[in-house]
Amino acid sequence: MSELLKWFEKRREERAIQMIKQHLSITVGIVEDLEEAIHAAMEGKEKEMREAITRVAKNEEEADRIRRKVMDELSHGELSPIDREDLMNVVKGVDMVADWSHESARLLAVLPMEEVPENVKQACIKMMEGVKKCVFSLRKCINSMIENPKEALNAADEVEREEEKVDDLHREVRKALVKERDVRASVAVMINEFNEALEMISDWCEDTCDQVRIIMIRR
């Protein structure tokens, strides 16, 4: 077993581990608020959308704060430089999930939803559902790495499968958009940027789980 996994076994109540879990929990909450904002936007509920977007922004700042604290805590710990770097990369990956969720929310805030065709809206909703599944699988992967390392690789495989589904859904959004002839070019660009940001969330889920795989392989 690697020194990092031994550290997990011995230090499950360690301050750094508790902060990693907290950081992950906040990030999952950000993604859930993003989904709520998208549904509110699609239903024309402006107030609810703005409130959800505000929560995304506020919690992304909190996630950043915790990430900095985790990095500081790990830098003073007993881990070897390579194990410390591996764990820091996992934390950075989760933080990128939060960052791209925030970026998605910012783009949603300026997207003129009344000009988005209904079929494109429905495709976007399905894509967001896939992104959330990907993030939930990421949570399972990281928690397994800490609590039950044998399950971490299986959870990482789940993330990869969900990420591939999001890629397929992204293509469906593009196909739906291409079929629309009456959408202004500027709106089409914004829709594409919004969905690119959503896809980046799932991409970072996969990248982060690849880092977990590296940790597992070093066993």
Side-chain angles (χ1 to χ4, degrees):
M1 181 180 290
S2 73
E3 291 302 314
L4 179 53
L5 296 182
K6 290 178 182 177
W7 184 76
F8 284 148
E9 285 194 341
K10 294 176 182 177
R11 307 289 186 184
R12 282 184 177 160
E13 300 306 317
E14 188 87 8
R15 176 177 164 84
I17 290 180
Q18 296 309 309
M19 285 193 293
I20 289 170
K21 290 181 178 180
Q22 184 184 8
H23 182 247
L24 181 60
S25 177
I26 290 173
T27 299
V28 171
I30 289 169
V31 173
E32 290 175 323
D33 280 332
L34 173 61
E35 183 183 39
E36 186 174 331
I38 290 172
H39 279 284
M42 301 295 184
E43 295 168 11
K45 298 177 180 178
E46 178 79 10
K47 181 175 180 291
E48 288 85 346
M49 181 195 74
R50 297 292 172 185
E51 288 174 348
I53 289 174
T54 297
R55 290 196 301 273
V56 168
K58 180 180 178 180
N59 288 325
E60 193 271 334
E61 289 181 1
E62 177 66 7
D64 267 346
R65 185 186 68 81
I66 295 173
R67 174 188 55 80
R68 290 190 292 269
K69 289 178 68 176
V70 171
M71 297 302 182
D72 182 65
E73 191 74 19
L74 291 174
S75 68
H76 295 94
E78 61 189 55
L79 287 170
S80 68
I82 191 168
D83 286 334
R84 183 181 298 115
E85 182 180 3
D86 283 344
L87 197 50
M88 284 182 171
N89 284 338
V90 170
V91 175
K92 289 175 184 176
V94 173
D95 203 60
M96 290 303 296
V97 171
D99 286 350
W100 278 104
S101 297
H102 187 200
E103 177 63 15
S104 299
R106 283 195 292 248
L107 290 166
L108 178 67
V110 297
L111 184 60
M113 198 57 64
E114 68 279 3
E115 295 188 47
V116 179
E118 188 60 34
N119 63 330
V120 175
K121 289 181 182 180
Q122 295 306 314
C124 289
I125 288 174
K126 288 181 180 179
M127 188 173 176
M128 183 63 228
E129 290 172 354
V131 167
K132 187 174 73 170
K133 288 179 181 178
C134 202
V135 174
F136 280 12
S137 295
L138 172 64
R139 176 175 59 185
K140 180 179 178 181
C141 179
I142 294 176
N143 284 335
S144 295
M145 178 184 70
I146 294 172
E147 302 292 346
N148 185 5
K150 290 182 180 180
E151 297 296 326
L153 288 177
N154 290 334
D157 290 341
E158 287 182 21
V159 171
E160 186 173 353
R161 288 192 294 270
E162 294 298 340
E163 191 276 337
E164 289 172 355
K165 291 177 184 178
V166 171
D167 284 347
D168 291 340
L169 289 166
H170 188 205
R171 284 191 288 272
E172 290 303 314
V173 173
R174 286 177 170 174
K175 288 179 183 177
L177 190 57
V178 167
K179 292 178 181 178
E180 297 295 332
R181 302 298 182 185
D182 298 326
V183 179
R184 287 190 296 142
S186 58
V187 175
V189 169
M190 291 179 66
I191 293 170
N192 187 60
E193 287 183 357
F194 171 67
N195 284 282
E196 290 282 354
L198 286 181
E199 186 183 32
M200 286 300 296
I201 300 172
S202 63
D203 284 348
W204 272 103
C205 288
E206 183 180 35
D207 289 349
T208 306
C209 282
D210 285 343
Q211 185 61 46
V212 173
R213 284 193 177 101
I214 290 172
I215 292 172
M216 297 297 103
I217 289 170
R218 284 182 178 154
R219 296 180 65 183

